[in-house]
Amino acid sequence: RPHTVTASSLAVMASDASSSAAPVQDIENKLFLGTTLTEEELTAIRTCMNHVVLLKHGRRGKPHPRSFYISKDQMRMHWDSRRKKKKDSMVDFEWVKRVVEGRETDVFRRHPNSAAEGRSFSLIYERGGQRTSLDVECETEQQYKTWVTAVKALVNRKDDPNLQYVKKQWKAADKDLSGTLSMSEVLSLLHKINCDCSKKYATAKFQEVDSDKNGILDFEEFIRFITNLSYRPELDAIFSKHSSGGLMTAEQLHRFLHESNKEDVTLGQCQEIVRTHERGDTSAGMSLQAFATFMASSMNGVFNPRCAVEYQDMNQPLWAYWQASSHNTYLAGHQLKGDSSVAMYKRALNLGCRCVELDCWNGKGNDPIIYHGYTMTTKIRFRDVIQTIKEEAFRVSPYPVILSLENHCDTTQQDVMADILKAVLGDMLAKPLAHGADLPSPVALKHKILLKGKALPRKREKVQEEDDEDEEEEEEEEEGGTAEAKVKEDSSAGTEGAKPRAKPPKAVKLATSLSNLIYCSAVHFKSFEESAQHAEHWEMSSFSELKALKHLKTNPMGLIAYNCRQLSRIYPKGTRVESSNYSPVPAWNAGCQIVALNYQTADLPMWLNVGKFMDNGGCGYVLKPDFLRDPSKRFQPTEPKGIDAKRVTIEVLSGQQLPKPGGETKGEIIDPYVVVEVLGVPQDCSKHKTKFINNNGFNPRWEESFEFAVMVPELALVCFTVYDHDVTSADDYIGHFVLPLACLREGYRHIFLQDEQFNVIPFSSIFVHIQIAQGTRCLCLSCVCVCVPSGKGTVSQMVRWS
């Protein structure tokens, strides 16, 4: 899903930390230093930063006079105590839940004093999991008004997220709670946040902002210091070009967003943007800082907000949609010796997955279990999994969830499975379709759970012998890679001394009770022709990744036509015992709906999967383009012809607060570079990377431009990845972001990076400029070049692939 965490608007960097930066006063005139306080509040805070004696009421005994003050960094309220350490005689304003005026707490009620009612206040705060209060009585009403104004302002202040980040680092560095940092502490903090500059340069800037020349910086001085280092000339240049007199009016912002960022916005919306981001007087326009804050906010992210909500037609048959799908969902790791976990179903469903897999086997005491058969994976109860699915299935999406059952149980335990499914899921279970019925739409199946698996022929009673060898084992044997065979290899090599169990006979019975619940009947695939003539819409087949690629190579239009009538499921080949993933892109290109991946493995294929299903509001269903829903379009995914192209130009400008690998705070400053990759039909796949920047993860600048010719933009994904260059070993991964080309916004955008587990990395982004131009396919149709209109209206060849 799109993310609301903003990139750094405070860390607007200089291109070279060793070069001279703009004067402090000049930068202060341009950049907002993080406060949202009024002049009255600021005056009150400055007053309370001086020591003053107030009465502190405690839970025992009489109140005692104590010297109170607000720390220089405006983050804590302190009082002097002869018995307690400094860290125990203070309240961090981030702990405070509310400020209570008057004598309303239990502590004050023990010491009634109506005369002091208008001079008393309490801070209700939580520390170490315990809620308590700080109860204070002022000497005069004016003193009370000043303190309440200051404390309320600091408790309720809504800091810019980037200021929050700096404050967090500041607190970690200010170990003695003095509210100040020395030169050595500042240098250590700069290294921690990946800002590298020479000690000489940092010392000069330190002395420049140390207004009282005492060799230490308070928080306000430190913010000036960071601001001085963090001037972003690229944003200043954009602002200067589109504004006048140091301010950007709503009209100028409207013109910038319309012309440069290709935004369809109204003047009224631009006026609201100015009001939202400008802290001062908004009548004349927005300052550079307000503009920088807006540019680095989620409002200006690269992911189109149109795609962040459900916008596609959800009334087409189920086969018309790609569906986020998981393979061996229960596994947390290795396919042969990893743990099985109910929590993996919760994780997959909360990532938007709409098809999960259950490998069902006989358990002790007629209690069916789930695990990877003939392996050393651990076992979990079928009942627990179904209960979890009931609770989690529709938290992030109302659309149907498919349970792909690999049934290895005897008829007795199949009856138990059927009883559990009916008892736990009840009306959530979708009723099987009649002969000749097309698959309903996602809308018609809202909040329904569909069972997919082997079933008896409709209307046949009791039990029948069926080939129980599941579809995956069937094809793995053809490819020479069953899990059983792999376990035997590992056992002979001494893997944990385990010995695989003997396989039971393939022919087993299917119980009517379970068969009658099957919605999508799993059938053995014979040929595309046979399926076209005889298959029901609710019948489906599964293909290994190798078999799918074979069909894609030998009969791609047959595979597309199949996917215009029925569902197909693709799964990893059996030799991927480490739970690696195959690229889902070729299968998606052929319209395969259920492309199952190992969700426990955060590799590039899973990044692509998460990126693709961010579209359409992250509901887990994405409508396929019309040429993958209509066989008469005769789309050839391996050799697309006659489709309009797009020219995509991506300029990677700069980075902000890029972390060290793995989120470490120690170690060397990183040498980052960016890889930009387009993945889609074979002709569209292309990759470029920037140069690496030495020792700068805080504010690297690349300013490199790449062009991509995309023949089938509807199938293209764009992947941005940041790495740390390493001379002696493999380059380290820093962060990434993937999205469909259809969701890519033009103009100047920030890309908010994710880690390998798809969590947004706080305040970490790359700043890019994107242009998307229409192109046309070559008239000859037989070549493999893409042509695009030139600026003067002529057609010029842009790219030729070998």
Side-chain angles (χ1 to χ4, degrees), residues 111-126:
H111 305 283
N113 183 356
S114 58
E117 179 71 26
R119 296 184 279 108
S120 305
F121 68 93
S122 303
L123 303 186
I124 311 299
Y125 67 97
E126 192 170 292

Side-chain angles (χ1 to χ4, degrees), residues 43 58 116 157 239 324 328 347 436 562 592 657 664 678 701:
T43 300
R157 176 168 62 180
F239 181 80
N328 286 358
R347 178 178 181 271
Y562 177 96
C592 298
Q657 298 186 37
E664 293 291 330
V678 170
R701 291 183 66 199

Side-chain angles (χ1 to χ4, degrees), residues 462-608:
K462 297 184 180 178
V463 298
Q464 172 178 313
E465 288 192 353
E466 283 287 329
D467 182 358
D468 184 54
E469 182 177 28
D470 68 49
E471 301 152 272
E472 296 194 17
E473 290 175 357
E474 198 171 297
E475 292 199 4
E476 285 167 0
E477 281 191 348
E478 295 177 16
E479 295 154 10
T482 65
E484 182 200 22
K486 187 64 181 175
V487 173
K488 285 181 177 177
E489 292 173 16
D490 289 347
S491 297
S492 64
T495 303
E496 298 185 18
K499 190 174 182 179
R501 289 168 19 191
K503 229 176 180 180
K506 293 181 181 179
V508 299
K509 295 178 178 179
L510 297 179
T512 305
S513 58
L514 183 60
S515 179
N516 287 345
L517 302 179
I518 298 298
Y519 192 90
C520 295
S521 181
V523 298
H524 178 70
F525 177 78
K526 296 179 181 178
S527 69
F528 292 125
E529 293 73 24
E530 194 275 340
S531 296
Q533 293 175 15
H534 304 294
E536 298 277 1
H537 291 285
W538 37 264
E539 291 180 330
M540 61 178 291
S541 297
S542 294
F543 306 93
S544 75
E545 58 175 288
L546 297 181
K547 187 60 70 73
L549 288 174
K550 180 180 177 182
H551 290 315
L552 189 59
K553 182 178 180 180
T554 59
N555 192 0
M557 288 193 289
L559 182 56
I560 289 175
Y562 177 96
N563 290 323
C564 291
R565 298 185 308 271
Q566 302 165 251
L567 297 176
S568 65
R569 176 177 172 270
I570 315 301
Y571 58 87
K573 61 185 179 182
T575 54
R576 292 187 181 274
V577 295
E578 299 289 343
S579 296
S580 62
N581 281 307
Y582 59 99
S583 172
V585 174
W588 287 335
N589 291 346
C592 298
Q593 301 91 347
I594 302 176
V595 184
L597 298 179
N598 292 308
Y599 268 53
Q600 71 269 37
T601 304
D603 50 12
L604 176 59
M606 262 307 294
W607 299 354
L608 300 176

Side-chain angles (χ1 to χ4, degrees), residues 87-147:
K87 67 181 180 65
D88 296 320
S89 57
M90 64 89 179
V91 174
D92 192 309
F93 291 122
E94 288 189 352
W95 302 343
V96 179
K97 303 301 180 183
R98 57 195 177 100
V99 180
V100 179
E101 298 183 54
R103 303 172 73 88
E104 300 294 328
T105 64
D106 291 340
V107 170
F108 273 135
R109 291 192 187 103
R110 294 194 189 100
H111 305 283
N113 183 356
S114 58
E117 179 71 26
R119 296 184 279 108
S120 305
F121 68 93
S122 303
L123 303 186
I124 311 299
Y125 67 97
E126 192 170 292
R127 183 177 188 181
Q130 292 188 330
R131 182 164 290 206
T132 186
S133 64
L134 172 64
D135 304 281
V136 179
E137 180 182 324
C138 299
E139 186 175 349
T140 67
E141 290 187 5
Q142 181 57 46
Q143 191 181 62
Y144 162 81
K145 181 181 178 182
T146 299
W147 272 90

Side-chain angles (χ1 to χ4, degrees), residues 224-289:
R224 291 199 191 98
F225 175 76
I226 287 291
T227 303
N228 199 336
L229 288 177
S230 62
Y231 173 60
R232 271 178 81 178
E234 72 272 29
L235 279 180
D236 193 355
I238 296 168
F239 181 80
S240 299
K241 180 179 179 181
H242 297 277
S243 63
S244 58
L247 292 173
M248 179 180 286
T249 65
E251 290 79 7
Q252 290 170 327
L253 177 62
H254 181 261
R255 191 178 307 115
F256 164 72
L257 293 178
H258 180 72
E259 296 177 358
S260 296
N261 277 21
K262 311 300 181 187
E263 296 262 15
D264 185 18
V265 293
T266 65
L267 180 58
Q269 289 172 320
C270 292
Q271 291 168 342
E272 182 60 30
I273 290 172
V274 172
R275 283 193 293 269
T276 300
H277 294 89
E278 178 56 60
R279 271 73 171 187
D281 179 15
T282 63
S283 59
M286 66 196 310
S287 63
L288 171 60
Q289 167 55 26

